[in-house]
Amino acid sequence: MTTQGENPRTTAPPARSARRALVGRLSWGLADQAASSISNFAVGIYVARSLGVTAFGVFSLAWVTYGVVLNVSRGLATDPLVVRFSGVPDASWRGAVARSTGTALGVGAALGVVCLAAGFGLGGRVGPAFAALGIMLPGLLLQDAWRFSFFAAGAGRKAFLNDIVWGIALVPAMVVAAHVDTVAAFVLAWGASATVAAGYGYLQSGIRPRLTEARGWLREQRDLGYRYLVENVSLSGASQVRAYGLGVIVGVSAVGAVRGAELLMGPFLAVLMGLSLVTVPEAARVLRRAPHQLGRFCLLLGGGQAAGALLWGSALLLMPGRLGELALGDVWHSSSHLVVQITLSVAGAGLGTGAAAGLRALGAARRSLRCQLFASACYVGGGLGGAAVAGTAGSAWGVAAATLSGSAVWWLQLRSAVRERHRHPIPEVRTA
């Protein structure tokens, strides 16, 4: 329907242009995440086949620790950058990127020292892996910071190319690590290839990270940074606590079995993470143009992701055992029994991300933080409680139940936030 005096022919091109722009943003987000996730997937598969389930469990402990540190860096450095410096003039973006990447580098150095000290203190098979992670953290976090910096500038192609460079550098690094045949060697190879890509990010941007201005960046962005820090770290921290607890209650091999099952969902998770780069901005556009459609948009987004996860999991259940052994080696025998639980977990998480995008678009930061903390508590409780009752399988079932419960809370909070906005149209938080 058109309003009086409006020429429908003049409105169609902007609509088509908007759709093309959305497809372009979505395409580069998917391409970049595909490149990143394929590299991570390849590393996991290669290490699983090379080292076996117990050593792969040690590698997985280092991996989940990296996930926590990465979320610390994103919360303090790159999330505020993406929120406040997307689509700004080039000079403003370059200054912010220099400080943001410097912050990421500082986080990597500080927490790298902690991991290095922990590695020396732990010793055994786990200690060298953590020491190697500590050495590699600055390069790993700087590479991730370049990636988000390019997306803030609308240069998704550069982020994609940077991840391609990381993937290419991984090939010789993994070959060398295979000759050494230790967990620490694989961690060093993985981190060294990321450091190569981090150096390439400097060449792409021509921006030197300003480590000395990290404190100023944290001070300027404290209203967003620390809130995002808590949100980001709560779930990844819960994953780390669950992994450590599972290793203590059942054994390190159980950690490897769970990680192997998660790897089987890797290609589908790559698509979800690629979509996550654009879901919040698109939800915000829906909110501006047609606020009454926000709930429907979020439901389609979350429901589509959940349905996709169930379809992928069903395909895994039908996959011949020899293909699983080809992919995971000895880890397959332990991981294949967890496919149903992991599928339900991913489906629940996908459903919840639809509501999470809506809450972010509404600026309901307190509600989203509340949901994240609840989901994290359920994740730890379900994962460890299930492990104590029924071992590895019980832990997986506990996490599946926790994820579905957390998703329900996300949707309840979104419904309350939408109703609140109808009563009070000014959002809780509005950033530029």
Side-chain angles (χ1 to χ4, degrees), residues 237-335:
S239 177
Q240 186 179 25
V241 170
R242 185 254 184 140
Y244 290 164
L246 185 60
V248 171
I249 296 170
V250 183
V252 175
S253 60
V255 181
V258 170
R259 176 60 185 158
E262 291 171 347
L263 277 174
L264 294 173
M265 297 293 295
F268 178 76
L269 289 173
V271 174
L272 294 191
M273 294 178 71
L275 289 172
S276 70
L277 294 171
V278 297
T279 51
V280 175
E282 294 310 316
R285 290 185 179 92
V286 171
L287 183 63
R288 286 195 300 270
R289 296 171 182 172
H292 62 284
Q293 293 290 331
L294 179 65
R296 181 173 179 270
F297 171 81
C298 294
L299 183 60
L300 289 173
L301 175 65
Q305 292 179 106
L310 293 174
L311 288 174
W312 184 268
S314 299
L316 290 176
L317 290 173
L318 298 174
M319 184 174 67
R322 62 180 181 277
L323 292 181
E325 292 176 3
L326 182 64
L328 295 178
D330 293 339
V331 177
W332 165 255
H333 299 289
S334 302
S335 300

Side-chain angles (χ1 to χ4, degrees), residues 355-401:
L359 284 175
R360 280 274 177 122
L362 287 165
R366 285 193 290 271
R367 290 185 182 274
S368 62
L369 178 58
R370 196 178 304 148
C371 292
Q372 194 68 270
L373 293 176
F374 175 83
S376 299
C378 288
Y379 186 92
V380 172
L384 298 187
V389 173
T392 308
S395 179
W397 279 116
V399 166

Side-chain angles (χ1 to χ4, degrees), residues 342-358:
I342 297 297
T343 298
L344 292 175
S345 297
V346 175
L351 184 62
T353 57

Side-chain angles (χ1 to χ4, degrees), residues 24-317:
R25 291 190 298 268
L26 182 61
S27 297
W28 282 119
L30 288 172
D32 172 71
Q33 189 57 51
S36 175
S37 296
I38 286 171
S39 295
N40 291 339
F41 181 72
V43 169
I45 293 295
Y46 196 77
V47 175
R49 288 182 56 82
S50 300
L51 298 179
V53 66
T54 301
F56 185 59
V58 174
F59 182 85
S60 298
L61 290 176
W63 187 283
V64 296
T65 302
Y66 160 71
V68 175
V69 175
L70 181 65
N71 279 307
V72 172
S73 176
R74 287 179 178 176
L76 295 177
T78 54
D79 281 352
L81 174 77
V82 171
V83 169
R84 286 185 166 151
F85 295 92
S86 293
V88 299
D90 185 67
S92 178
W93 174 80
R94 293 179 69 85
V97 168
R99 289 174 288 154
S100 175
T101 53
T103 302
L105 199 57
V107 171
L111 295 183
V113 171
V114 175
C115 285
L116 191 62
F120 287 132
L122 288 171
R125 304 184 68 176
V126 177
F130 273 76
L133 177 65
I135 295 170
M136 292 293 106
L137 274 178
L140 284 162
L141 298 189
L142 181 58
Q143 190 276 336
D144 186 75
W146 287 128
R147 184 176 171 225
F148 279 84
S149 297
F150 293 139
F151 271 109
R157 181 178 61 87
K158 289 186 176 181
F160 171 73
L161 290 174
N162 195 276
D163 276 323
I164 290 295
V165 168
W166 185 3
I168 293 171
L170 261 174
V171 176
M174 286 288 119
V175 171
V176 173
H179 285 291
V180 180
D181 199 32
T182 65
V183 177
F186 280 104
V187 174
L188 288 171
W190 169 54
S193 56
T195 303
V196 171
Y200 179 61
Y202 168 72
L203 296 177
Q204 287 177 291
S205 65
I207 301 172
R208 181 173 59 85
R210 297 177 187 170
L211 182 59
T212 56
E213 296 190 20
R215 181 176 296 180
W217 174 263
L218 294 174
R219 184 171 57 252
E220 293 169 12
Q221 310 300 328
R222 62 181 178 273
D223 59 324
L224 292 181
Y226 295 114
R227 182 175 292 164
Y228 289 151
L229 171 66
V230 175
E231 276 199 47
N232 291 353
V233 170
S234 61
L235 188 54
S236 60
S239 177
Q240 186 179 25
V241 170
R242 185 254 184 140
Y244 290 164
L246 185 60
V248 171
I249 296 170
V250 183
V252 175
S253 60
V255 181
V258 170
R259 176 60 185 158
E262 291 171 347
L263 277 174
L264 294 173
M265 297 293 295
F268 178 76
L269 289 173
V271 174
L272 294 191
M273 294 178 71
L275 289 172
S276 70
L277 294 171
V278 297
T279 51
V280 175
E282 294 310 316
R285 290 185 179 92
V286 171
L287 183 63
R288 286 195 300 270
R289 296 171 182 172
H292 62 284
Q293 293 290 331
L294 179 65
R296 181 173 179 270
F297 171 81
C298 294
L299 183 60
L300 289 173
L301 175 65
Q305 292 179 106
L310 293 174
L311 288 174
W312 184 268
S314 299
L316 290 176
L317 290 173

